[in-house]
Structure formats: structure tokens, C-alpha cells
Amino acid sequence: MLKSFMTKVMGDPAEKLVKELRRRVEEINALEPELEALSDEELAHKTEEFRALIAEATESLREDLVQRQIEMSEANGQARVTAEDNLKAARKALFKAEEDVLDEILEEAFAVVREAAKRTIHQRHYDVQLIGGMVLHGGKVAEMKTGEGKTLVATLPIYLNALSGHGVHLVTPNDYLSKFGAQWMGQVYHFLGLSIGVIQGQTSAADYQPSYLFDPHYQSSDDRYQHLRPVPRDEAYAADVVYGTNNEFGFDYLRDNMV
């Protein structure tokens, strides 16, 4: 009863959020004719433009972070505690600045991804999928039913956040989904100049943990792994986008820390 009364008085917060997201969808849609007129090379070059914009906006903060890292390596005793706090603050400031830039370019970046998807996998993100992508980018949960395009929706926030250069992980419940998602959506990311890694689970061979990079020119002898070029585990993890399962990400983290 109270919830119903408060909704009438204050408005539904979820509806307010969706209303704002719909406004941003309109801005994304308005960019479509302009992007459609670009050549493939010009569209792909948008990635470098975005990255240059982020680098320019955060240059002083990155320089400060390097200085704090130097101070941390040279400090001892109580000074090291202070240096560690300064380093944490510098990282936090840099990440916040990067997030601000990503939010500023979100509409154009989403529009670029949609145009790239149209040209590569011949799928165009629906407006509701754009909303889902913005919800994910905002760190919230976007509930979608089977068949509503979760795999395609994920390309939007993944591309946007990969622009900052820290790498993005997409976590799936099983190896098949991570492999298939990377093979399918890898075409979109590759078109836009991003590298895609795939982490798979342990095989029957105890000393072998398969991992790959998406390569549209690589022909595998196993049809299930077309366009997935085998690479060392650390090389796959160094990609701009990494597809894998919660089990593999978790256990790889534990293995690294045990070493």
C-alpha cells in the first residue's frame, strides 16, 4: 500500500530511468544516417578517435598515476603507507575520469557498434536492446528472456568499456556459449579494431588449457573452432575483450595468486 502511494506521489524510479534512456536512444538513432554514409575504413577509424579522446582527457591523471607508482616503489616504512594511499587515490581519479568520458561518447559509440553489426553479421540492434546495453553499462541488471538478443546487446557496453584499454570480460555459464559468442560477435569487434580472446576449460590432457584469439582468416581443422587461433593463456587474456566462464576466470585468478 505504501509503495503504491509513494509511486503515485514520487513516480516510478524505474520508469524515470527508462524515460531518460529512451531520450538517449533517440540521440543514437539520430546518428544513424551519418554513420551509414561512412566507408568501412572511416567507420572502423572511430575506435581510434574515441581512444584518442579518452587519452587526451586523462593525460594529466595518467602522468600522476605513473608518478605515484614511482613513489610507491621507492617508499619505505610509514612513507610507504602514505604512498600506497596516494596510489589508490590516483587510480580512483583516473577511472572516474575515464568513466565520465565513456558516458559522454556513449551515444556515438553505441551507434558505431550498431552500424558495424549491420555490416558484419547483418543484425541491427533494436531500440530496446540499446536500452539494455545502457543498463548494463550503468552496472545494473538487464533481465532478458531467451531469444531477446543478450549476445547482441552485450556488444554495446563491451565495446564502449574496452575503449579505455583495461580489457573487458564477458562471463558465460559454459564453454560453448563463450566460444560461440566470441565467434559470432567477434566479427563486430574485429571490424572495429578490437582483439577478442576466448578462454576454455580444461581438456582431457592435464597439461593443456585451451585458449584462443578470434582471427577471421584462421581455418581450423575442427569446424567447431573456426576462426579461433590457439594462443597461450596470457595472450588470450591480454585481448581487448575476453570471453570465458565464471569457473575458468575464477580458477585462473587463483592459479596466478598461488604462483
Side-chain angles (χ1 to χ4, degrees):
M1 189 72 174
L2 178 60
K3 182 178 180 181
S4 177
F5 173 75
M6 293 300 293
T7 298
K8 290 180 180 178
V9 175
M10 305 295 293
D12 186 346
E15 182 56 36
K16 288 183 178 180
L17 172 62
V18 172
K19 184 178 180 180
E20 168 61 18
L21 297 181
R22 284 176 180 149
R23 180 193 64 77
R24 302 190 77 171
V25 166
E26 292 177 359
E27 295 180 15
I28 296 171
N29 290 339
L31 293 168
E32 190 164 20
E34 175 186 338
L35 296 178
E36 286 178 332
L38 299 180
S39 66
D40 287 354
E41 292 75 15
E42 290 171 329
L43 182 64
H45 187 65
K46 284 290 184 180
T47 297
E48 293 307 314
E49 293 179 12
F50 291 142
R51 283 175 165 167
L53 186 62
I54 295 170
E56 181 180 359
T58 61
E59 182 178 6
S60 61
L61 291 171
R62 285 184 286 108
E63 292 175 351
D64 181 61
L65 179 61
V66 171
Q67 181 59 38
R68 299 302 180 187
Q69 290 172 329
I70 294 174
E71 293 174 359
M72 177 70 178
S73 65
E74 297 176 347
N76 294 299
Q78 184 59 38
R80 185 173 180 83
V81 176
T82 301
E84 184 175 355
D85 289 340
N86 291 337
L87 179 59
K88 290 179 180 178
R91 284 174 175 160
K92 185 176 181 180
L94 175 59
F95 291 151
K96 176 62 169 61
E98 289 174 339
E99 288 176 357
D100 290 343
V101 179
L102 293 182
D103 193 59
E104 291 176 7
I105 66 174
L106 183 148
E107 287 85 358
E108 186 175 4
F110 274 34
V112 165
V113 175
R114 179 161 68 178
E115 183 61 29
K118 287 161 54 180
R119 299 188 188 192
T120 54
I121 60 175
H122 310 296
Q123 292 200 10
R124 179 183 180 276
H125 297 78
Y126 290 107
D127 288 358
V128 69
Q129 292 174 322
L130 297 176
I131 291 177
M134 285 185 277
V135 169
L136 291 175
H137 172 67
K140 300 178 177 64
V141 175
E143 182 179 0
M144 300 181 67
K145 297 179 181 178
T146 300
E148 290 185 336
K150 294 185 288 293
T151 305
L152 184 62
V153 167
T155 59
L156 299 163
I158 284 177
Y159 172 76
L160 177 63
N161 285 272
L163 294 171
S164 61
H166 300 300
V168 178
H169 288 45
L170 186 142
V171 187
T172 69
N174 60 62
D175 279 341
Y176 171 77
L177 289 177
S178 60
K179 177 183 72 68
F180 175 74
Q183 287 172 306
W184 187 15
M185 298 302 148
Q187 301 172 71
V188 180
Y189 303 126
H190 185 268
F191 178 93
L192 293 172
L194 300 185
S195 56
I196 309 95
V198 182
I199 301 297
Q200 295 281 276
Q202 190 86 26
T203 64
S204 56
D207 61 343
Y208 179 63
Q209 296 171 286
S211 49
Y212 309 87
L213 281 179
F214 176 81
D215 182 348
H217 305 296
Y218 181 79
Q219 297 298 317
S220 173
S221 58
D222 187 337
D223 287 341
R224 297 173 300 173
Y225 291 88
Q226 286 301 337
H227 311 311
L228 294 181
R229 177 165 51 84
V231 296
R233 203 78 159 178
D234 57 350
E235 188 174 340
Y237 271 115
D240 295 309
V241 181
V242 185
Y243 278 70
T245 66
N246 51 338
N247 282 343
E248 290 308 306
F249 287 147
F251 282 112
D252 280 346
Y253 177 81
L254 291 175
R255 292 184 193 106
D256 285 349
N257 279 273
M258 286 190 295
V259 170

